[in-house]
Amino acid sequence: LMIEGGKAGRPVAGGILVGRAGDLLARIDAVGSDVSADRGAPLCLKDDQAIPFGMTQPTLRVSSLAVRGSGR
C-alpha cells in the first residue's frame, strides 16, 4: 500500500522500484510482526526437475523510495 499523509492509501500494482538495493535496505524504518509464507511459490527448474520454493517476509515500511509505472 502507498502511505499518503501518514495513512494507508491505495494499493500499488505494476510499479517498478528504482534505485539501489542497499539504499532501500537502509531506509527500512519499521518491520511488522506478520511474517507469512508466500503461497504463490515459484519453481526452481534444473534439467528435468521442478522443485517449488517459497519465501517468508514480514511487512516492511520504507521511509522513502522511487517508484515508476504507468499509474493504472
Side-chain angles (χ1 to χ4, degrees):
L1 294 174
M2 181 71 71
I3 298 176
E4 300 169 307
K7 296 183 181 180
R10 65 189 189 286
V12 177
I16 298 171
L17 302 182
V18 180
R20 296 178 24 173
D23 294 339
L24 176 74
L25 293 173
R27 291 185 181 118
I28 294 172
D29 63 358
V31 178
S33 60
D34 59 344
V35 176
S36 63
D38 177 4
R39 299 287 182 217
L43 295 175
C44 178
L45 303 173
K46 181 178 179 184
D47 297 325
D48 61 347
Q49 304 171 20
I51 301 172
F53 71 94
M55 296 173 275
T56 59
Q57 176 179 312
T59 299
L60 302 174
R61 186 176 72 185
V62 179
S63 61
S64 66
L65 60 98
V67 180
R68 289 190 186 150
S70 64
R72 295 180 205 174

